[in-house]
């Protein structure tokens, strides 16, 4: 997690896994890009715009403006995505689309994206370079351009499984590139993309790509839900959208927002076992314990949760992988469940009736670890000094017995 400026934090994992993180005072480097007349430092996309200007992915106008609210065309989007994703422009002798001739200014970028399978035209043989880009279309080209994958069931209210852009929008959300419109949990796929929005989406995708590390044999993998993926960071901590703990620790991030242990089992082989890691730090439970309003039961029962964790652990131990169980202390869980209670009146009583398990994964993970005769090796705290209490993340580390 990224912490506010002038905050410090330290994390220590002991035992077979030893990671020491010391975060010094976070400073902001001076921007090399010239100030824009119409993008103040308080603008919501200021940092994203400045970042892409410095990387020469976007440029302002000759009069010193950026026009952040101006609509983006499909031709402009092709250039931006190609530059952001590092896809070199092509110059074939013949054009793939009759409405994008070889002399068109975006010809090379459009041809390159077509060859990479990022774009496919409008379905009528045309590309329509001057048409405005919709948010649904943007989700597709970003997902294809950056090879994003979505796993969760954390859907937007206005994008269903029947919609053609569903998997693309889901991939953006799962990887922390969009939070949509939180006030009504919508994505608004038919909305037109502005230059400010394009800058934000492209820059977040570039930052996501920069954090990806191939899980080579012997590497450490963080396997969990949104507390590992950090998908909530752009919304909750917009100044630090990519400060998830695996990135800070320098390990591979295999977290997926909304995952329960049941859904994690479906991707376990591909995301963990096939990567041949030396150590896996596993953190699940909040979503398992989440009460369903329809059944009035947890998404995953305590008994099934323990079976799932046991199955995951057993398979890793059998392959010689060191397993570390990591969980939040109750302070984070109380905030999470309180938010759920606020969204669903009357559900708070259901949480209260479930006892220790419903206090969250801390209690359950501790009980489970003890049931395996595991030892609590260290109570480590990520506690930034001089920061608000709710901005502190605390962790308890449990390591499985050999």
């Amino acid at each position: 997690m990224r912490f506010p400026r002038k905050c410090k934090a330290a994390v220590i994992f002991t035992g077979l896994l030893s990671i020491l993180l010391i975060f010094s005072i976070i400073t902001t480097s001076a921007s090399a890009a010239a100030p824009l007349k119409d993008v103040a430092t308080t603008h919501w996309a200021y940092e994203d715009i400045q970042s892409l200007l410095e990387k020469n992915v976007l440029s302002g106008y000759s009069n010193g403006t950026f026009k952040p609210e101006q609509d983006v065309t499909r031709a402009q989007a092709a250039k931006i995505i190609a530059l952001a994703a590092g896809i070199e422009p092509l110059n074939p002798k013949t054009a793939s689309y009759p409405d994008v001739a070889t002399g068109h200014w975006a010809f090379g970028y459009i041809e390159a994206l077509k060859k990479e399978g990022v774009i496919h035209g409008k379905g009528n043989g045309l590309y329509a370079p001057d048409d405005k880009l919709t948010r649904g279309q943007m989700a597709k080209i970003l997902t294809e351009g950056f090879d994003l994958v979505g796993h969760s069931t954390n859907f937007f209210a206005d994008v269903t499984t029947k919609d053609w852009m569903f998997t693309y929008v889901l991939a953006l959300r799962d990887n922390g590139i969009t939070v949509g419109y939180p006030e009504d949990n919508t994505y608004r796929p038919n909305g037109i993309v502005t230059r400010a929005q394009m800058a934000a989406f492209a820059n977040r995708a570039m930052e996501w790509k920069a954090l990806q590390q191939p899980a080579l044999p012997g590497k450490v993998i963080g396997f969990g839900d949104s507390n590992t993926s950090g998908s909530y960071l752009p919304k909750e901590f917009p100044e630090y959208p990519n400060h998830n703990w695996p990135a800070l620790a320098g390990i591979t991030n295999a977290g997926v927002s909304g995952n329960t242990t049941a859904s994690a089992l479906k991707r376990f082989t591909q995301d963990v076992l096939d990567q041949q890691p030396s150590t896996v730090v596993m953190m699940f439970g909040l979503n398992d314990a989440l009460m369903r309003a329809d059944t009035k039961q947890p998404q995953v029962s305590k008994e099934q949760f323990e079976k799932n964790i046991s199955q995951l652990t057993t398979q890793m131990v059998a392959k010689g992988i060191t397993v570390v169980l990591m969980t939040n202390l109750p302070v984070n869980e109380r905030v999470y469940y309180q938010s759920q209670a606020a969204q669903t009146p009357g559900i708070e009583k259901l949480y209260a009736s479930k006892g220790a398990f419903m206090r969250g994964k801390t209690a359950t993970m501790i009980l489970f670890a003890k049931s395996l005769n595991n030892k609590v090796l260290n109570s480590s705290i990520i506690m930034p000094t001089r920061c608000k209490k709710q901005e502190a993340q605390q962790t308890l580390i449990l390591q499985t017995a050999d």
Side-chain angles (χ1 to χ4, degrees):
M1 177 180 292
R2 285 187 178 178
F3 300 102
R5 294 176 177 81
K6 298 183 180 179
C7 295
K8 299 180 180 180
V11 181
I12 301 176
F13 294 79
T14 58
L16 295 177
L17 172 64
S18 179
I19 303 175
L20 174 62
L21 296 175
I22 300 178
F23 308 112
S24 58
I25 294 177
I26 301 173
T27 60
T28 303
S29 60
S31 172
L36 297 166
K37 297 178 181 179
D38 57 348
V39 182
T41 56
T42 55
H43 190 283
W44 69 269
Y46 172 79
E47 292 188 1
D48 293 309
I49 292 171
Q50 289 295 315
S51 178
L52 293 193
L53 289 175
E54 293 169 13
K55 297 170 184 174
N56 294 317
V57 174
L58 281 175
S59 60
Y61 291 90
S62 58
N63 63 358
T65 63
F66 182 76
K67 301 180 183 179
E69 302 308 315
Q70 182 173 283
D71 296 338
V72 174
T73 67
R74 287 168 55 84
Q76 292 168 342
K79 179 180 179 180
I80 294 169
I81 297 302
L83 292 175
I87 300 173
E88 295 293 329
L90 299 178
N91 189 30
K93 294 181 179 179
T94 57
S96 299
Y97 299 106
D99 57 346
V100 184
T102 56
H104 191 285
W105 67 267
F107 172 75
Y109 301 110
I110 292 172
E111 291 292 337
L113 293 188
K114 185 177 188 305
K115 182 178 180 180
E116 293 293 326
V118 176
I119 61 175
H120 303 283
K122 298 281 285 187
N124 57 358
L126 303 177
Y127 181 72
D130 298 323
D131 281 6
K132 303 296 174 61
L133 183 76
T134 68
R135 288 170 58 86
Q137 293 168 348
M138 178 176 63
K140 180 182 186 300
I141 60 177
L142 276 171
T143 297
E144 298 286 5
F146 286 87
D147 295 322
L148 303 173
V149 177
H151 296 278
S152 77
T153 56
N154 192 17
F155 305 159
F156 286 110
D158 59 344
V159 181
T160 71
T161 55
K162 297 180 180 180
D163 294 318
W164 68 266
M165 80 291 292
F166 173 75
T167 56
Y168 306 120
V169 173
L170 183 65
L172 294 192
R173 185 168 195 168
D174 281 358
N175 291 286
I177 294 171
T178 185
V179 294
Y181 294 87
E183 62 268 24
D184 57 3
N185 188 37
T186 60
Y187 178 73
R188 305 177 190 177
N190 296 320
I192 301 301
V193 178
T194 65
R195 281 169 59 82
Q197 292 173 344
M198 192 76 235
F201 277 74
N203 191 52
R204 291 170 193 166
M206 292 181 74
E207 290 181 341
W208 173 87
K209 184 177 181 180
L211 293 173
Q212 302 311 300
Q213 303 177 43
L216 301 175
K219 291 288 185 179
V220 179
I221 293 178
F223 186 54
D225 51 30
S226 61
N227 284 310
T228 298
S229 72
S231 60
Y232 61 89
L233 291 173
K235 175 184 176 182
E236 301 295 337
F237 299 91
E239 292 187 2
Y240 310 100
N242 297 295
H243 233 152
N244 53 74
W245 71 262
L248 297 176
I251 70 175
T252 300
N253 191 336
V256 171
S257 175
N259 255 197
T260 63
T261 51
S263 53
L265 278 166
K266 299 176 182 179
R267 63 185 181 90
F268 177 59
T269 298
Q270 176 181 334
D271 289 358
V272 177
L273 296 183
D274 288 351
Q275 309 304 320
Q276 303 176 44
S278 63
T279 302
V280 173
V281 183
M282 186 161 58
M283 180 161 57
F284 288 101
L286 279 178
N287 294 302
D288 293 73
L290 187 66
M291 297 293 290
R292 294 182 53 174
D294 54 351
T295 64
K296 299 182 180 181
Q297 295 295 322
Q299 291 196 115
V300 176
S301 69
K302 175 182 175 181
E303 294 73 23
Q304 189 60 51
F305 174 76
E306 292 181 349
K307 289 180 182 179
N308 293 344
I309 290 290
S310 180
Q311 182 177 344
L312 293 166
T313 302
T314 300
Q315 292 185 60
M316 288 188 281
V317 171
K319 290 184 175 292
I321 299 171
T322 299
V323 182
V324 176
L325 304 182
M326 182 169 83
T327 184
N328 296 68
L329 290 179
V331 61
N332 279 11
E333 294 156 3
R334 283 197 298 271
V335 173
Y336 182 77
Y337 292 123
Q338 285 170 0
S339 70
Q340 296 302 313
Q343 294 176 34
T344 309
I347 206 169
E348 189 173 3
K349 295 180 180 179
L350 300 178
Y351 280 115
S353 69
K354 294 299 177 181
F357 172 56
M358 296 317 298
R359 287 202 297 269
K361 59 187 170 186
T362 297
T364 306
M365 286 288 239
I366 291 174
L367 291 172
F368 171 71
K370 288 182 178 179
S371 73
L372 293 180
N373 296 318
N374 295 335
K375 296 179 180 180
V376 177
L377 297 183
N378 184 59
S379 180
S380 299
I381 300 177
I382 301 179
M383 177 66 76
T385 60
R386 300 188 298 281
C387 292
K388 295 179 181 178
K389 181 178 179 181
Q390 62 266 29
E391 293 172 341
Q393 178 183 8
Q394 303 180 9
T395 61
L396 178 66
I397 309 305
L398 309 172
Q399 185 168 333
T400 59
D402 292 334

